[in-house]
Amino acid sequence: MAPVAMRTAAQSLSDAKPVPFWLDDPGKPEALPALTGDEHCDLLVVGGGYSGLWTALIAKERDPERDVVLIEGHEVGWAASGRNGGFCAASLTHGLPNGLERWPDEIHKLEELGERNLDAIEAAVARYSIDCEFERTGEIDVATEPHQLEELREWHQEMEKLGFTGVEFLDREALRAEVDSPTFLGGLWDRRGVAMLNPAKLAWGLKRACVDLGVRVYEHTRGLELAKTTTGMAVRTPYGRVFARRVALGTNIFPSLVKRVRPYTVPVYDYALMTEPLTADQLASIGWKNRQGLGDSANQFHYFRLSSDNRILWGGYDAIYPYGGRLSADLDQRPETFLKLAGQFFDCFPQLAGVRFSHAWGGAIDTCSRFSAFFGTAHQGRVSYAAGFTGLGVGATRFGADVMLDLLAGEQNERTALEMVRSKPMPFPPEPFAWAGIELTKRSLARADVNGGHRNLWLRTMDRLGLGFDS
């Protein structure tokens, strides 16, 4: 970055609050009390992010008489569920290309289930009056390099051959009529497959819906240890225990209470900025009347969108894996990444020179080697889990909740029959091999971005093995 550009980027960050924009809300609900003493229930849900909240809610919808308890180690929605970009995608497979490569025989069923899942989320938002700024505006995958444009054109043709409709190819002129950036060369607009929403308000709304249905929610209550009992399972907490017939684990990036699951995920720290609200003139300078979400097509990609008050969220690019999979609040702030993101923002939208950022934050998400969720059971089917959503969990966690409940009930249906549900990704190796492999993959992906998309021997080998690293 040139010195003048660096100064401009730095100045834009001078007032940025080091907290997630979505959680910096005066309407944030008060935390519910922690569990003290012993509790008994039919179903215990561990984790108060989307995965756990959807599981508790759907469990009560399926059987209103079921006694459900949910425990959360901090506060509902405080982690990835409240810090993400607010892109709620229909895809259950981290995008159609990833799903087609891994489960070609099931891809049409997976896409159908994903569409139904997104419809169900939209219906639940309406049914429970969740004011989460839900807008089904779709998403545009943007090409900013010639090789990306050609890849998008070819992929659009492939989708049409496979019978997937609803995605429109936009040339440079058509794209810039939607959102104007001198860096945009073309794109693919998925008009119905992605919704924009306020992620924290979705989590808080799901919490309220759960409580209204009779779920007993305890915050500031970590699940410390899982053990079998004569009638089910017991989870020890700091001030008590929960005895349950069945347990669903929605802890995602945090260490699973089923220890053999832990090698399947690693934490990735993702970072984002939020601008101050744009003026009418600033918004007019870039268009964006249809309020779609956007993401560029590089390996090190950006995602960006408008908030309800016309701020721009700009995130992505750096995906940081800390050695040893360390989780620490100290990693939520990374000034060198914020400076890089700010400079890239003004490269994309030079007409917004002078705009300042109000918030800068980061946080950990869980990724697995196949980039999409995996599922399983433990303790003779008394415990189920879902993890590995790799940044697309805003929508897919609801599907994962259905799967966890199906597995606990021993049901055989269209979800549990999926190879995606019945199989596991490759686990990550122990250190130092995990860190070395991830770093080599990241550097290779960065080189591919500046080398016309050419994938080196390492990436081609990982492709053949079905392995990778992504946020």
Side-chain angles (χ1 to χ4, degrees), residues 71-92:
I71 61 173
E72 160 56 39
H74 187 52
E75 295 183 12
V76 162
W78 76 278
S81 295
R83 302 181 183 212
N84 62 79
F87 287 64
C88 186
S91 177
L92 305 175

Side-chain angles (χ1 to χ4, degrees), residues 31-225:
L32 294 171
L35 172 67
T36 56
D38 290 349
E39 262 281 22
H40 295 78
C41 60
D42 297 323
L43 173 67
L44 170 64
V45 179
V46 181
Y50 295 141
S51 189
L53 291 165
W54 281 118
T55 302
L57 184 68
I58 295 171
K60 292 294 283 186
E61 289 178 337
R62 291 188 182 188
D63 180 4
E65 299 304 313
R66 181 160 23 191
D67 190 20
V68 181
V69 168
L70 183 150
I71 61 173
E72 160 56 39
H74 187 52
E75 295 183 12
V76 162
W78 76 278
S81 295
R83 302 181 183 212
N84 62 79
F87 287 64
C88 186
S91 177
L92 305 175
T93 61
H94 205 78
L96 180 58
N98 187 55
L100 183 61
E101 179 181 342
R102 297 180 187 281
W103 302 289
D105 295 336
E106 294 182 342
I107 193 60
H108 285 86
K109 172 56 68 176
L110 287 165
E111 289 292 295
E112 176 194 342
L113 288 169
E115 290 168 8
R116 282 159 46 186
N117 184 65
L118 182 55
D119 289 342
I121 292 171
E122 185 172 16
V125 165
R127 182 166 63 254
Y128 295 107
S129 301
I130 299 175
D131 181 16
C132 64
E133 300 155 19
F134 190 98
E135 298 179 278
R136 200 153 175 178
T137 53
E139 180 180 10
I140 303 176
D141 291 331
V142 174
T144 58
E145 297 289 342
H147 74 273
Q148 296 171 9
L149 182 62
E150 187 57 33
E151 289 168 359
L152 289 181
R153 195 188 307 273
E154 292 174 358
W155 175 238
H156 184 242
Q157 294 169 353
E158 179 68 15
M159 281 193 293
E160 290 186 327
K161 289 178 184 177
L162 292 169
F164 295 113
T165 59
V167 177
E168 179 183 352
F169 180 81
L170 305 176
D171 62 18
R172 179 173 182 154
E173 182 178 345
L175 175 55
R176 292 187 64 174
E178 292 293 332
V179 186
D180 189 14
S181 166
T183 67
F184 291 176
L185 303 180
L188 291 181
W189 184 2
D190 180 353
R191 289 180 174 269
R192 290 283 299 166
V194 184
M196 300 294 108
L197 52 76
N198 181 314
K201 287 184 176 180
L202 175 61
W204 299 334
L206 291 173
K207 170 185 168 181
R208 175 179 52 78
C210 285
V211 171
D212 289 347
L213 290 183
V215 177
R216 298 194 298 287
V217 176
Y218 297 97
E219 296 179 85
H220 297 289
T221 303
R222 282 187 63 201
L224 301 175
E225 186 178 19

Side-chain angles (χ1 to χ4, degrees), residues 232-286:
M233 303 299 300
V235 171
R236 184 170 60 86
T237 70
Y239 304 121
R241 294 171 298 176
V242 183
F243 295 91
R245 292 178 57 247
R246 298 287 184 269
V247 177
L249 300 177
T251 50
N252 293 295
I253 192 51
F254 299 101
S256 177
L257 293 178
V258 177
K259 292 182 180 179
R260 59 182 165 82
V261 177
R262 296 179 185 180
Y264 289 100
T265 62
V266 295
V268 179
Y269 277 79
D270 182 53
Y271 298 91
L273 305 174
M274 184 69 95
T275 72
E276 61 191 356
L278 301 187
T279 67
D281 287 344
Q282 288 169 333
L283 188 58
S285 73
I286 58 173

